[in-house]
Amino acid sequence: MTQPSDVYSDPQTVAKYAEGPPRLVPGFADLQRMTTLLLAERAPPNAQILVLGAGGGLELKVFAEAHPDWQLTGVDPSAEMLELAEATLGPLISRVRLHEGLIDVAPEGPFDAAACLLTLHFVQPEERARTLREIRRRLKPGAPLVVAHFSFPQSEAERAVWLSRYVSFAVASGVDPDKAANARNAINAQLPILAPEQDEALLRDNGFTDVSLFYAGFSFRGWVAYAGESW
């Protein structure tokens, strides 16, 4: 999971990165585990896996440990976060290729599966659509894509409720209340969060079929979808 590279260039932020997701994302470890299982449903034992928003290396490590013959390609805009990913992976880095940038720097593939966790909520809808098209273009037909990110109803009242629940979960997980409130304000002001039906439509409209919700944790949703036969 990452944010734009200018946010994750601060050394203190990078150093504390791994503490964040387990305290902010309900069922974070189970989300990673479910993602691994969904990818493995169709990916072969020696699969090539594309991971977009791979900074920090948390899911790369989970995937690599679960499947010793998978080869992983991680893409992230932050050089500092990719350095952290390399440190997180340790000896597992021998099976991982890291690329600094957006989806355009990813190899052409074709890949057997892809994942993009806790990343797309940073991307404006038009660019999100393009990103999904570029992921699809790099996947084999029928290959799974797993995505998870902020996604909740976007009326003013519902948005306020879901952001308050995000804060409540963070505080219950040990985050300082003032820091959680500041994070809420930043999320509300800066992130182009979509409603779940909009997220599903983006997947369908940009090359993916059989879109299924598999995860819902307060303000976060996750889907698995499959690369269409023709694109």
Side-chain angles (χ1 to χ4, degrees), residues 7 21 44 177:
V7 175

Side-chain angles (χ1 to χ4, degrees), residues 55 65 92 106 114 129 133 170 229:
E65 289 177 337
L92 296 170
R133 289 195 298 272
E229 291 296 324

